[in-house]
Amino acid sequence: MLSTEDNIFVIIITREFIIGMLGNVYIGLVNWIDWIKKKKISSIDYILTSLAISRICLLCVLILNGIIMVCYPDFYENDKLQAVINIFWTLTNYLSTWFATCLNVFYLLKIANFSHLLFLWLKRIDRVIHWILLGCLAISSLISLILATTPNYDYEFHKIINHKRNCTEMFHVSKSQYFNPLTLFNLLAIVPCTVPLISFFLLIMSLWRHIKQVKLSVAGCGDPSTEAHVRAMKTMTSFLFLLFVYYGAALLATFNYLMKESKLAVMLGEIIAILYPSGHSLILIIRNYKLRQTYIRMLSYETTVCMM
């Protein structure tokens, strides 16, 4: 029998899951239908579609982990089954992060204006975008494969913790056991996270240089290049905010055993974590002209049908 807190938790993550799935499926379907009609797909649509697919998988892993944690806690007594979920989470998490990184770099290369030879060479990303995404898939798969062949120490650690009766005894456990392979791979995800941050600051520099060059007046604030910079920066800001919140929630769940209400901490971490793949996808729909206009046309069509 589930407690009130458990029921509230399941309701919240289920709603987040539904919203996230609808948003990501919508992105994938719109771009896929457009691909079929035009017989080709743009680089931005290719990245968005790949990102949507990875986040659909990530949401499935997150909701599965959340429901099992509350409804079937005995599941985690089997360390092998827990390791399987950890491996799939690592794969989908890295894929989502790398694809989102590619999206932010794409914004930078298409909007920013630098005369450096390296930057000009990178602007040809359209020609190799499919190879870049395949490389992201290969890196994520390799990391998951390494994790799959690494012993899972998390279960053994929690067995030790469960035998401790107070906080004093718990902190006498070797600190080396605080870190399991999954925690290490989580920390390695900081590497792709730094790339969007660098892209964001480079975009700020590009905007500053652009404004300085054209010396915009108050009446000239409608410059298309300036507006493109601002739109991209807003999208990047929302992504970076949700990303850091997401990894903060992951760390909260990882080190929950240091807290008095460890189960509540894990629940809170899970709720916050699902906000990232769900919320950012909705922001992408709002910020992307094609996705936004398609949604508006769908609403207009439904309104017309209802009135007939």
Side-chain angles (χ1 to χ4, degrees):
M1 190 71 179
L2 298 179
S3 64
T4 303
E5 292 81 5
D6 293 341
N7 286 323
I8 294 174
F9 170 75
V10 172
I11 291 172
I12 292 175
I13 64 171
T14 301
R15 290 182 177 179
E16 288 180 326
F17 171 76
I18 293 173
I19 293 172
M21 288 295 288
L22 288 175
N24 285 289
V25 169
Y26 172 77
I27 293 174
L29 279 177
V30 170
N31 290 323
W32 181 66
I33 292 172
D34 190 59
W35 187 0
I36 293 176
K37 288 181 178 179
K38 297 180 178 179
K39 306 297 182 182
K40 62 179 181 179
I41 186 171
S42 63
S43 297
I44 183 67
D45 291 343
Y46 193 46
I47 297 174
L48 285 172
T49 303
S50 301
L51 179 60
I53 294 173
S54 67
R55 283 181 170 168
I56 288 172
C57 298
L58 178 60
L59 281 167
C60 291
V61 174
L62 289 174
I63 190 71
L64 178 64
N65 181 69
I67 291 177
I68 289 176
M69 179 186 67
V70 172
C71 300
Y72 308 100
D74 293 341
F75 173 87
Y76 284 109
E77 292 184 4
N78 189 323
D79 55 330
K80 291 183 178 179
L81 294 177
Q82 183 183 0
V84 170
I85 288 185
N86 289 342
I87 291 167
F88 277 105
W89 181 84
T90 302
L91 175 62
T92 55
N93 177 58
Y94 267 83
L95 275 178
S96 175
T97 304
W98 276 113
F99 289 160
T101 298
C102 290
L103 181 63
N104 284 277
V105 172
F106 183 85
Y107 287 146
L108 171 68
L109 296 176
K110 289 300 179 182
I111 296 174
N113 187 18
F114 294 103
S115 57
H116 196 280
L117 291 177
L118 177 60
F119 186 83
L120 296 175
W121 179 77
L122 289 173
K123 270 184 170 290
R124 299 180 296 176
I125 191 174
D126 285 351
R127 305 177 185 178
V128 294
I129 189 63
H130 58 288
W131 291 110
I132 294 175
L133 296 183
L134 285 174
C136 295
L137 176 60
I139 293 173
S140 303
S141 300
L142 178 61
I143 293 173
S144 301
L145 182 62
I146 294 173
L147 181 62
T149 57
T150 304
N152 183 26
Y153 299 105
D154 188 60
Y155 174 62
E156 295 299 326
F157 171 70
H158 282 287
K159 284 200 299 185
I160 294 174
I161 293 297
N162 289 334
H163 284 86
K164 302 300 177 181
R165 296 300 181 185
N166 54 59
C167 293
T168 303
E169 289 179 330
M170 184 184 75
F171 280 102
H172 281 99
V173 179
S174 173
K175 289 181 173 59
S176 64
Q177 296 194 59
Y178 286 177
F179 298 93
N180 54 62
L182 183 61
T183 304
L184 175 63
F185 288 124
N186 290 345
L187 296 176
L188 287 176
I190 295 175
V191 176
C193 292
T194 57
V195 178
L197 195 59
I198 295 172
S199 300
F200 178 74
F201 286 116
L202 287 175
L203 201 60
I204 293 177
M205 289 178 57
S206 176
L207 176 60
W208 179 78
R209 290 181 58 181
H210 174 72
I211 294 176
K212 188 177 180 180
Q213 288 174 1
V214 298
K215 297 180 180 179
L216 292 173
S217 62
V218 176
C221 290
D223 175 58
S225 180
T226 302
E227 292 179 354
H229 276 79
V230 172
R231 285 196 301 268
M233 287 170 58
K234 287 180 179 179
T235 304
M236 284 187 180
T237 301
S238 61
F239 165 73
L240 289 171
F241 173 75
L242 289 171
L243 184 67
F244 287 124
V245 168
Y246 171 71
Y247 277 105
L251 289 175
L252 176 66
T254 300
F255 295 101
N256 67 84
Y257 50 80
L258 298 177
M259 303 177 185
K260 186 176 180 180
E261 298 291 339
S262 61
K263 183 178 179 181
L264 185 61
V266 173
M267 285 182 174
L268 180 61
E270 194 79 14
I271 291 172
I272 297 174
I274 300 180
L275 283 176
Y276 162 62
S278 300
H280 187 241
S281 298
L282 295 180
I283 292 172
L284 290 176
I285 294 173
I286 296 172
R287 294 292 179 186
N288 186 278
Y289 178 79
K290 183 178 74 174
L291 295 173
R292 186 174 64 251
Q293 290 301 312
T294 302
Y295 181 70
I296 292 174
R297 286 196 298 269
M298 287 173 56
L299 289 179
S300 301
Y301 176 76
E302 290 179 1
T303 303
T304 303
V305 171
C306 291
M307 293 177 63
M308 292 178 63

